[in-house]
Amino acid sequence: EEVLGLHHLYPERVRIVLWPLPRTRLDPRAEKAARVALAAHRLKKFDIVHPLLVSAAGEITGGRLDRFTEAAGLPPGTLNGTAVSEEIRSKVSMLRERAVKLGVYSPPVVFVAGRRIRGAVPSTCMLVGAVREALLEALTDYYGELPAGITQM
């Protein structure tokens, strides 16, 4: 919530990006999960489908996809049809290549201003601190020094 709050305070400076980086080297089922997550996002149903994906723990069968589709209020077959589209397959391939390039083999991984935040799941304090530090650095870069009255965020 605090990171989202920073995004709302500084919408031009703070951007939150979530990438489903499939860790196929560790789990061959990861690619299908990433395709379903991207399809749900494309269909504007990610918030509904993502918790279902997490609870499925990689076991994404046809029956489960049907239940995900129904829970999202989509017509039958829509989620699976989108997940197997060439657009989604290409996106997953690009994300997999990006993950390898970044050395990311097990999500979640968090980057702030291009810097990787270490830890399995960084605490909110770590994230907020990193975002604030990046914002202060950006202000300093822009103005040459911090504007009067700004010492912290």
Side-chain angles (χ1 to χ4, degrees):
E1 288 181 22
E2 289 180 60
V3 174
L4 287 175
L6 285 172
H7 170 69
H8 291 297
L9 280 174
Y10 308 100
E12 300 300 318
R13 296 249 180 222
V14 176
R15 186 171 54 143
I16 299 169
V17 179
L18 301 174
W19 289 336
L21 299 173
R23 54 187 186 142
T24 53
R25 283 179 38 189
L26 300 175
D27 186 349
R29 302 171 300 181
E31 180 159 339
K32 186 170 188 176
R35 284 192 282 114
V36 171
L38 286 171
H41 180 266
R42 175 116 168 44
L43 297 165
K44 301 189 181 334
K45 299 294 183 175
F46 183 82
D47 291 347
I48 297 168
V49 173
H50 185 256
L52 300 171
L53 275 170
V54 171
S55 69
E59 297 299 325
I60 305 169
T61 61
R64 276 216 169 112
L65 266 179
D66 292 343
R67 287 193 295 279
F68 295 175
T69 301
E70 185 179 332
L74 295 167
T78 304
L79 189 57
N80 188 50
T82 304
V84 299
S85 71
E86 186 55 39
E87 173 195 358
I88 297 296
R89 286 181 183 275
S90 294
K91 180 89 172 180
V92 168
S93 178
M94 181 271 301
L95 289 170
R96 185 174 42 258
E97 289 170 16
R98 182 175 288 166
V100 169
K101 185 176 178 180
L102 294 171
V104 174
Y105 298 104
S106 180
V109 177
V110 177
F111 289 85
V112 174
R115 295 184 201 128
R116 186 173 182 172
I117 307 298
R118 297 289 176 183
V121 178
S123 70
T124 301
C125 290
M126 287 174 65
L127 285 173
V128 170
V131 169
R132 286 182 174 157
E133 182 181 313
L135 287 169
L136 287 171
E137 189 176 302
L139 285 170
T140 302
D141 288 349
Y142 184 79
Y143 291 107
E145 62 183 45
L146 283 178
I150 297 181
T151 57
Q152 63 180 349
M153 298 184 141

